[in-house]
Amino acid sequence: MAKVTVDGIEVEVPNGASVLQACEAAGKEVPRFCYHERLSVAGNCRMCLVEVEKAPKPVASCAYPVAEGMKVFTDTPVVRNARRGVMEFLLINHPLDCPICDQGGECDLQDQAYAYGSDMSRFLEAKRAVKDKDIGPLIKTVMTRCIQCTRCVRFAAEVAGTPELGGTNRGENMEIGTYVEKALTSELSGNLIDICPVGALTSRPYAYVSRPWELKKTDSIDVLDAVGANIRVDARGPEVLRIIPRINEAVNEEWMADRGRFSFDGLKRRRLDRPWVRKDGKLHAATWPEAFAAIATKLSSLPGDRIGAVAGALADAESTLALKDLMAAYGSANLDCCDDFAAIDTSRPDFYRFNTTIAGIEEADALLIVGCDPRKEAPVLNARIRKRWTAGKFPVGFVGPRGVDLTYPVQHLGDSPAALAGSAFLETLKAAQKPMLILGRGALQRPDGAAVLAAAWKIAAETGMLKPDWHGFNLLHHFGGQVGALELGFVPGTNGKGLNAMLTGGVDALWLLNADGFDPARIPAGTFVVYQGHHGDEMAARADVILPGAAYTEKDATWVNTEGRAQRGRLAIFPPGEAREDWRIIRAYSEGVGKALPYDDANAIRARLAQASPVFARVGEVARGGCANPTGPAGDAAALNNVPFALPIAVYHQADVISRASEVMAQCAAIYGPQQALAAE
Amino acid sequence: MSAPAHEEPASFAFDAESEAKIATIIRRYPEGKQASAVIPLLYVAQKQMGRLTGSAWVPRVAMDVIAERLSMPPIRVYEVATFYFMFNMKPIGRFHLQVCGTTPCMLRGSDEVMRACKDAGGVAGPGETSEDGLFTMTEVECLGACVNAPILQVDDDYYEDLDYESTVKLIEALKRGERPAPGSAIGRRSSEAAGGATALKGAEQD
């Protein structure tokens, strides 16, 4: 530790820290453009100049290491003059187009020009202009505004692992871009918009849409992948206008995946905004009482074990619980939350959670990935793996299709379960102190899914991943609603039927809560289908009764991420038309059929949630621990068949109902679709 | 210049002569630091283009080949190649006339050298290529031979102590396919004083 005095305030910072960090520790604000805590230090904007005692000139505090007894001054005439000079230089080539710039109101350059700039420019010559680059449908570029801080270049190379941006040419002609015109191939590209300190990189879908001060900002959770990134939903009136990440060091740091960020325009399209009831083979618009009556008539005519319920990928915990309770009231144990047929063992939570935790990845020292493409299934989590890989000494083994680029090098061990046995990489894992394994949920969707789960667990047990103080077995889920339903035990009960049995004549009525994961053609012709959801995707077309629900931005709901971390999403806008919050729909229905559920407000159902599973009692936290019991899941590890693993998400940008309704995502899919992936190999 | 506005070759591969050079170049760098060889390899690519097509420049495909060879992202090669003026990012003429225009050369008459290039070479101005495709003239910064100013660098060779007439003569010779011996146009040896050596006379006898 080094003692540093900043403006008379003494602080202690670790050796090797920068002067800028010392200033922050002392609570002093230091303006900066190129410096970013999560990126390497470039030191090229020169805005963070401070005075250091005995230094002959002002120093760039971001790139200057502290020394014992150093005296730093952040607010002297020299510093103020120096910063004013730097700001004048930065503004020489920066256009005065703030009134038409989307960054206006949340622009670092604008704010800092106010605070540190002078009132007028002395530059009389012609400003330079730079041609805008086309780097894909998500990011709009106005390169004349670029101040060449190179944050985007460093982000793409370091965090995203797709080094496609660079600074070409030199001096006054230097430009940031891809040189060869191409769309960025990162699933994290939206973060470039956040880290750009000026208006050079802005959101294309949000272009000229709104000003930051007009937006209602609501903290929520991204549910379009199972990471559970903390987000802020910015809305105006009835519309979500943009989604940006919030900082949560344990989950998403400050990053966010593109699908969650840009697919919200799908919330306005193909929405179910009123109940529908099928009469004479055709769906007719109906009222809530009519829809409820149609369901009640059908369900009351059936014995409990002929009714089934499926909760899907985007079902929140509250409504899943309400549906489970409703089914219990009907006497049905036919529940399934794996609408993708994943063979998940819920007998113990660590069989289906990401036990190492996302932050825990940084402690691991060897990794085996099985049947999973974390880059597509959980881009933010993949960035964490890459962060760990960048830190060094992190061998990664991969079992899955050849030619998958995870943004860090992997040892490809094979493409089928056979590669799991007897591989030399297992010795690497055994030699490691904290080895971990990531099993993709997609690998459990195979017919031998239970065997894959058991085999993966067996490897974890044999390679020392399951220790009292370290749990290295991880299942990576795909969507925000999946783990919540597992925590609530939304699985076949005693004598209950699973989804496969329900789809092969096991039930006569099926209540689908956001269940879009399987092909509707698999539902037998005679089955009465209630579809409760928010998008008129394929499954809704098969329904006999449609109950319009709320999307994740339209309800106060609890979501559980792949780690088993419960987090609350909040209502940002109201659901369209007659759509309602999902658990309230089920509660209202239960009242009408005389099976009233024992909760009627948010607090009551949350108390019930906390009762059902402890994860809901400690929202925002995750119970991390070692593995107390190395006994594996029920599957027979020897029953593996040798079919190669297929990756479940073929088109990253259209993996869920919301993004399938989104125009922006459709454009992305056209550009980054599977044919593109083939060409890249 | 963000995207090339000229015809790019469809493919590029190093020939045997280049490969031999590359083998020795890459050996100079420690294992894992091969990316350091990017500048020499860009030169090799540019030379090969000059040798095979008569126009010494670095097409994008060549940069991609280099990136792959050195296991670095293509953009990192683009950054280096566009940073240095010595790499031509678009096709040039058979002879690259690089006129030094920095102060000592300017004081010693580089404007005349440039005028000669325009007149004799048929080049319209700096950065232009003559219609016959023989000459591209660029104005470059100090070539580090100020004592023999003004300098005209033709490809890799320095021609020194030039004036209008001697430059025209040089260019006419190039047109005839000759390569006059590089060095001083007024016959002085290296950078000796213009009237002959004034000091260290007879030094070589000792």
Side-chain angles (χ1 to χ4, degrees):
Chain A
M1 299 295 268
K3 272 208 181 73
V4 182
T5 315
V6 182
D7 293 346
I9 304 168
E10 197 167 277
V11 289
E12 233 178 288
V13 290
N15 292 326
S18 64
V19 172
L20 191 147
Q21 284 166 325
C23 294
E24 283 190 335
K28 295 287 170 187
E29 191 185 274
V30 179
R32 84 287 303 265
F33 295 109
C34 71
Y35 177 79
H36 193 283
E37 308 87 272
R38 292 173 217 277
L39 303 174
S40 62
V41 174
N44 57 5
C45 78
R46 315 310 288 181
M47 194 63 200
C48 63
L49 295 174
V50 297
E51 215 181 339
V52 173
E53 196 182 56
K54 293 192 189 116
K57 298 186 286 182
V59 301
S61 59
C62 70
Y64 202 82
V66 291
E68 181 63 38
M70 190 181 252
K71 286 201 171 65
V72 182
F73 304 95
T74 66
D75 194 21
T76 61
V78 171
V79 170
R80 257 173 282 157
N81 243 332
R83 289 181 186 162
R84 195 178 302 129
V86 169
M87 180 56 77
E88 193 172 1
F89 271 118
L90 285 172
L91 292 178
I92 275 180
N93 277 320
H94 191 81
L96 254 182
D97 62 352
C98 303
I100 57 147
C101 174
D102 272 314
Q103 193 85 351
E106 49 186 1
C107 174
D108 290 359
L109 186 62
Q110 201 177 33
D111 296 346
Q112 291 179 33
Y114 256 74
Y116 304 99
S118 59
D119 53 352
M120 59 189 293
S121 171
R122 291 176 291 175
F123 186 75
L124 302 172
E125 288 75 12
K127 291 190 175 213
R128 78 174 198 150
V130 182
K131 203 174 154 233
D132 294 342
K133 315 285 185 289
D134 182 0
I135 54 173
L138 300 178
I139 298 177
K140 180 186 160 190
T141 65
V142 182
M143 296 317 284
T144 305
R145 294 179 189 146
C146 176
I147 58 168
Q148 297 162 352
C149 68
T150 70
R151 273 190 191 178
C152 55
V153 175
R154 285 173 285 146
F155 175 86
E158 293 165 16
V159 177
T162 49
E164 293 164 351
L165 285 169
T168 51
N169 299 313
R170 70 195 284 180
E172 208 199 359
N173 298 317
M174 180 176 164
E175 291 181 13
I176 300 291
T178 51
Y179 189 66
V180 182
E181 198 137 287
K182 62 179 276 191
L184 298 179
T185 58
S186 175
E187 290 77 21
L188 292 167
S189 65
N191 297 299
L192 293 170
I193 298 164
D194 295 337
I195 60 162
C196 180
V198 298
L201 306 176
T202 53
S203 167
R204 203 184 273 273
Y206 180 69
Y208 307 127
V209 168
S210 180
R211 286 296 187 195
W213 57 83
E214 301 171 334
L215 300 169
K216 193 185 99 186
K217 299 155 181 94
T218 313
D219 288 353
S220 192
I221 300 297
D222 177 23
V223 303
L224 301 188
D225 62 39
V227 172
N230 290 210
I231 56 171
R232 194 184 86 194
V233 180
D234 287 1
R236 189 177 56 193
E239 257 186 306
V240 174
L241 295 183
R242 66 169 177 182
I243 295 177
I244 55 177
R246 282 183 292 139
I247 294 179
N248 185 335
E249 297 293 345
V251 181
N252 56 314
E253 298 180 279
E254 62 186 271
W255 315 125
M256 179 179 184
D258 284 354
R259 178 145 48 86
R261 186 191 290 261
F262 291 109
S263 62
F264 59 84
D265 67 318
L267 295 170
K268 288 186 290 187
R269 295 194 176 78
R270 306 219 301 243
R271 284 305 297 270
L272 301 170
D273 59 357
R274 59 182 310 160
W276 297 78
V277 174
R278 191 177 294 276
K279 278 184 208 134
D280 312 322
K282 273 191 138 171
L283 282 167
H284 294 273
T287 62
W288 278 107
E290 285 167 8
F292 281 171
I295 302 171
T297 315
K298 181 71 187 179
L299 296 195
S300 61
S301 72
L302 293 171
D305 69 332
R306 300 298 296 166
I307 304 172
V310 182
L314 299 181
D316 59 288
E318 282 85 351
S319 51
T320 309
L321 178 68
L323 185 58
K324 188 184 177 195
D325 288 346
L326 177 69
M327 287 298 127
Y330 269 112
S332 164
N334 305 329
L335 305 174
D336 205 330
C337 63
C338 299
D339 65 345
D340 53 0
F341 302 99
I344 288 170
D345 187 334
T346 53
S347 56
R348 254 174 43 206
D350 57 346
F351 290 160
Y352 60 79
R353 284 190 197 154
F354 201 93
N355 300 298
T356 306
T357 71
I358 296 170
I361 293 171
E362 292 181 34
E363 294 169 30
D365 52 5
L367 169 64
L368 174 64
I369 299 173
V370 179
C372 164
D373 177 0
R375 179 176 175 184
K376 292 241 160 41
E377 293 169 31
V380 174
L381 189 141
N382 196 51
R384 194 73 84 127
I385 300 175
R386 185 179 152 78
K387 185 180 177 189
R388 173 63 193 87
W389 174 80
T390 314
K393 297 207 174 97
F394 191 55
V396 183
F398 179 72
V399 181
R402 211 163 265 288
V404 175
D405 176 12
L406 293 179
T407 71
Y408 39 87
V410 295
Q411 292 181 39
H412 190 264
L413 309 178
D415 58 0
S416 68
L420 288 171
S423 157
F425 192 75
L426 298 183
E427 298 305 316
T428 312
L429 292 173
K430 276 181 197 158
Q433 298 300 310
K434 292 181 168 183
M436 63 182 286
L437 179 148
I438 298 178
L439 178 63
R441 186 181 167 110
L444 306 183
Q445 292 167 5
R446 303 150 50 97
D448 63 342
V452 172
L453 179 66
W457 182 274
K458 202 167 141 234
I459 284 178
E462 286 169 0
T463 54
M465 295 181 186
L466 311 175
K467 298 182 211 170
D469 59 344
W470 174 256
H471 204 316
F473 180 83
N474 301 289
L475 190 57
L476 180 58
H477 294 265
H478 296 153
F479 295 103
Q482 291 170 328
V483 183
L486 293 169
E487 296 290 349
L488 292 168
F490 203 94
V491 291
T494 320
N495 296 327
K497 301 178 184 100
L499 181 55
N500 258 320
M502 288 192 250
L503 294 182
T504 47
V507 292
D508 296 317
L510 205 48
W511 191 308
L512 303 176
L513 176 65
N514 296 99
D516 296 277
F518 60 91
D519 180 5
R522 292 193 56 177
I523 303 174
T527 309
F528 179 83
V529 176
V530 178
Y531 179 79
Q532 179 177 350
H534 39 77
H535 273 81
D537 216 56
E538 284 178 332
M539 196 63 80
R542 167 62 185 83
D544 294 284
V545 177
I546 293 175
L547 304 176
Y552 70 106
T553 49
E554 297 156 4
K555 53 189 169 191
D556 291 317
T558 309
W559 309 91
V560 184
N561 80 349
T562 191
E563 305 167 286
R565 183 192 304 272
Q567 304 185 100
R568 291 244 201 280
R570 288 181 188 78
L571 180 143
I573 54 169
F574 288 97
E578 292 180 44
R580 293 290 180 267
E581 272 186 69
D582 288 278
W583 78 266
R584 288 176 197 277
I585 294 173
I586 299 166
R587 172 67 180 75
Y589 171 80
S590 72
E591 177 106 38
V593 294
K595 298 177 192 298
L597 299 174
Y599 30 78
D600 50 13
D601 62 21
N603 288 335
I605 192 164
R606 283 181 181 166
R608 169 88 181 89
L609 274 178
Q611 239 172 36
S613 166
V615 301
F616 299 104
R618 29 158 227 265
V619 171
E621 292 165 28
V622 64
R624 192 181 164 196
C627 180
N629 178 3
T631 324
D636 176 9
L640 290 172
N641 63 35
N642 242 348
V643 183
F645 285 114
L647 297 179
I649 295 183
V651 185
Y652 168 74
H653 295 92
Q654 293 189 314
D656 58 83
V657 279
I658 298 174
S659 57
R660 279 198 290 272
S662 157
E663 226 167 72
V664 175
M665 290 293 105
Q667 286 171 17
C668 290
I671 290 171
Y672 304 109
Q675 71 280 11
Q676 196 76 10
L678 284 177
E681 272 169 27
Chain B
M1 183 178 61
S2 56
H6 48 264
E7 197 114 328
E8 284 276 340
S11 67
F12 179 89
F14 287 115
D15 63 7
E17 191 179 333
S18 299
E19 288 291 1
K21 276 189 215 153
I22 291 170
T24 54
I25 290 167
I26 289 189
R27 269 205 300 278
R28 287 181 210 152
Y29 302 95
E31 189 63 36
K33 307 278 180 196
Q34 269 66 28
S36 304
V38 62
I39 290 177
L41 255 63
L42 283 165
Y43 266 120
V44 170
Q46 181 159 300
K47 286 265 164 57
Q48 177 180 326
M49 284 300 286
R51 202 163 61 234
L52 301 183
T53 69
S55 171
W57 67 297
V58 188
R60 183 173 70 77
V61 280
M63 293 191 275
D64 292 343
V65 168
I66 291 170
E68 204 180 332
R69 179 69 63 96
L70 302 178
S71 317
M72 56 199 290
I75 183 74
R76 299 282 97 88
V77 182
Y78 306 154
E79 284 180 328
V80 171
T82 56
F83 184 85
Y84 293 104
F85 291 134
M86 295 79 191
F87 299 118
N88 301 309
M89 305 314 291
K90 54 183 188 197
I92 61 161
R94 179 75 193 85
F95 302 103
H96 192 188
L97 308 177
Q98 297 153 81
V99 185
C100 177
T102 307
T103 317
C105 283
M106 194 203 77
L107 292 173
R108 297 279 299 152
S110 66
D111 288 357
E112 288 300 293
V113 175
M114 194 175 287
R115 190 163 63 86
C117 291
K118 288 182 191 169
D119 293 353
V123 185
E128 301 285 331
T129 302
S130 60
E131 269 175 33
D132 55 12
L134 277 182
F135 301 103
T136 294
M137 181 180 74
T138 47
E139 186 182 339
V140 296
E141 300 308 324
C142 184
L143 292 172
C146 314
V147 73
N148 292 63
I151 310 291
L152 172 64
Q153 185 186 349
V154 179
D155 300 337
D156 293 337
D157 299 328
Y158 276 24
Y159 293 90
E160 302 157 352
D161 299 323
L162 294 167
D163 55 16
Y164 184 84
E165 283 76 29
S166 53
T167 309
V168 171
K169 224 170 85 191
L170 169 64
I171 289 174
E172 294 303 335
L174 290 171
K175 276 188 185 169
R176 291 191 299 271
E178 297 162 19
R179 274 276 183 169
S184 173
I186 55 172
R188 68 167 154 159
R189 197 171 59 165
S190 67
S191 52
E192 265 176 5
T198 55
L200 297 175
K201 283 183 173 175
E204 49 275 47
Q205 275 95 324
D206 294 341

